[in-house]
Amino acid sequence: MAEPWSAREAVRQVADECTFEELPYGAVAYGDLPYETVPYGDPPPEPPDSDGPLPWPGYAAARARAEQRTGERESVVCGTAAVGGRTVVVVSFEFGYLGGSLGARTGRRIEAAHAYARAHRLPVVSLIATGGSRMQEGLVALGQLQRVAAQSALTRAAGLAQLAVLRDPATGGGWATLGAGADVILAVEGAQIGFAGSRVRPTDADPAAYTAEGQRAAGAVDAVVRAGELRPVLRLWVRLLAGPPAPAAVPPPYALGRTDAPPTGREAVRRARSPHRPRAAAYLDAHLRERAEVSGDRAGGTDPGVLCGFGLYEGRTVAYAAQTGTATRPAGYRTAARLIRLAGRLGTPVLTLVDTPGAANDAAAERAGAGGAIAEVFAAVAESPVPVTTLVIGEGGSGGALALAAPGNTWVTPDSYFSVIAPELAVAILKRPPDEADATADALRLRPQDMAELGLARGLVRAGPARTDRPA
């Protein structure tokens, strides 16, 4: 196992010192939520020797042994704690209690913890170590997944962040609800993660697919974190997702490269394709502080050519999705769409940086659903309830670039261009000689100043003074 923490030790590993307060068990109402709607804690008392709802022979004795071994009455401990000075609701699994399995009492505790979070406007942090649903309770236990999923959906609709820390192991329904359903997913290095537990996988299954690292490569996990580094990483995420968002649209970054507008279309293309031009990472470093990245499309893929995440602009949280100059793959578009929609739920304004020769158009990209992925980003930008600001910093290659551009709030740098098609491809389609590419570039009116004159950009950004809030 990657780490042998108990439920309470896991809380101590991430929370500020001496701040955890366990929620009381029993008939308790929170805020305007009546007990009948949100019963917290245990189901109605059963006889001490009850073997549960099936009944399952020996179940009562197994629970008694689990209680004696762990000191817990159930497989989750729920409460509030401070993480980096901000109060969160914590749901922490006790794997030593029947493998951290979800039973009826587990579901009720998680249900009410989410209700408490909504009543008090707090983010939820789940520290997950579970083998899945409790077989001794059969369908009663399996049905808890629906209750947990419903609570997660209500918390999401309330605009509150949900973060998951996947401990070892994180499998079955706990992974498929609280884990995979979280907004940001961190995994402890070396943890076993997957819907199938170790004893029910196909015998020929690749074990690497069921690891934190494998899930990160498959786009299902945002980051793999060493156990000893969880506290600072989680503190940053809580600060970014639970702190105050920027109150208005993000201003576009200053230009970091050329400051004079290109005289011709061919020169605009040459500048944008220069290997010496500043790229997305340089703009993010200059404009934002304390960034944390989300990764993966939650559908099996990642694209290192698209940087997505959250950062601080003048002390307030903003979200960003930035192309890095490569052809954008379907996973990159889906990750950007996920980021933009999450920012919308949290009320966080978005900055997008456009820089791509276009969408990837190879056979693998088509099989991965390139068209649908691009459509997702167009829709996410169009539907965004928060302001989106765009800066074109390099190549603006057709619809693959336009998908990330904010209508009415797009800016351009002097070393960028935007075109319906690359000049070389245009002459090929028009069956013109290759040496007519320069003239075609002019005819396409793809220069940054052309974008402004055509009403597709608000204007060119210029170089500015050194920012006082730049990272050192």
Side-chain angles (χ1 to χ4, degrees), residues 68 107 236 374 406:
Q68 184 177 20
L236 175 58
I374 295 169

Side-chain angles (χ1 to χ4, degrees), residues 33-449:
L33 302 169
Y35 169 62
E36 291 76 17
T37 303
V38 186
Y40 186 76
D42 299 337
E46 298 176 348
D49 58 350
S50 169
D51 281 325
L54 294 191
W56 184 282
Y59 181 37
R63 283 185 297 174
R65 289 193 298 271
E67 290 184 16
Q68 184 177 20
R69 181 171 57 251
T70 64
E72 305 294 350
R73 293 184 59 199
E74 202 27 85
S75 60
V76 290
V77 175
C78 303
T80 60
V83 176
R86 287 174 168 80
T87 302
V88 303
V89 167
V90 179
V91 175
S92 187
F93 280 71
E94 175 55 69
F95 190 77
Y97 189 104
L98 301 180
S101 56
L102 282 80
R105 294 190 301 187
T106 320
R108 289 163 67 94
R109 292 187 178 189
I110 295 171
E111 182 179 40
H114 273 262
Y116 184 92
R118 293 193 298 274
H120 296 269
R121 304 296 302 168
L122 299 174
V124 177
V125 175
S126 298
L127 309 176
I128 301 170
T130 175
S133 298
R134 191 170 301 168
M135 62 182 180
Q136 295 94 331
E137 295 185 19
L139 289 178
V140 174
L142 188 64
Q144 302 309 308
L145 303 184
Q146 294 174 321
R147 298 178 70 170
V148 171
Q151 291 303 312
S152 179
L154 290 171
T155 301
R156 187 180 304 115
L160 299 170
Q162 298 176 70
L163 298 98
V165 175
L166 306 180
R167 297 155 55 205
D168 189 23
T171 60
W175 159 231
T177 52
L178 291 178
D183 298 318
V184 173
I185 305 172
L186 309 177
V188 175
E189 184 180 54
Q192 299 178 64
I193 301 168
F195 188 63
S198 60
R199 298 183 182 181
V200 296
R201 298 168 191 161
T203 55
D204 60 348
D206 178 7
Y210 302 90
T211 64
E213 293 74 13
Q215 295 284 1
R216 168 67 172 76
V221 166
D222 289 298
V224 176
V225 185
R226 292 181 180 176
E229 297 173 356
L230 268 176
R231 178 179 280 117
V233 172
L234 192 60
R235 280 182 174 180
L236 175 58
W237 271 114
V238 169
R239 180 180 181 186
L240 291 172
L241 298 187
V250 188
Y254 294 118
L256 299 179
R258 298 288 293 265
T259 59
D260 57 316
T264 66
R266 171 49 58 185
E267 175 62 13
V269 174
R270 187 191 67 79
R271 291 184 185 183
R273 293 177 178 173
S274 169
H276 306 296
R277 171 181 55 79
R279 304 288 165 147
Y283 278 94
L284 294 174
D285 285 343
H287 204 57
L288 303 178
R289 293 189 61 143
E290 295 189 87
R291 302 199 324 268
E293 291 190 2
V294 302
S295 175
D297 63 357
R298 301 294 188 263
T302 61
D303 181 0
V306 179
L307 304 178
C308 294
F310 293 82
L312 296 178
Y313 175 79
E314 296 184 345
R316 297 296 188 100
T317 301
V318 302
Y320 62 85
Q323 294 168 315
T324 64
T326 60
T328 303
R329 307 203 64 80
Y333 289 115
R334 282 191 284 262
T335 304
R338 175 169 77 90
L339 181 280
I340 293 167
R341 290 192 173 113
L342 172 56
R345 292 200 305 270
L346 299 178
T348 304
V350 178
L351 170 68
T352 64
L353 301 179
V354 169
D355 184 10
T356 180
N361 57 7
D362 53 39
E366 294 297 342
R367 284 194 293 266
I374 295 169
E376 282 190 52
V377 182
F378 271 117
V381 172
E383 298 166 353
S384 177
V386 296
V388 180
T389 301
T390 298
L391 179 63
V392 184
I393 63 171
E395 291 193 82
S398 194
L402 189 67
L404 275 154
N409 198 24
T410 291
W411 300 79
V412 289
T413 64
D415 46 9
S416 68
Y417 80 88
F418 218 119
S419 180
V420 65
I421 192 171
E424 300 85 355
L425 298 179
V427 297
I429 291 173
L430 296 171
K431 298 181 180 180
R432 294 177 178 176
D435 60 7
E436 291 191 20
D438 289 359
T440 303
D442 289 332
L444 287 169
R445 295 202 65 189
L446 49 70
R447 301 175 303 169
Q449 62 266 42

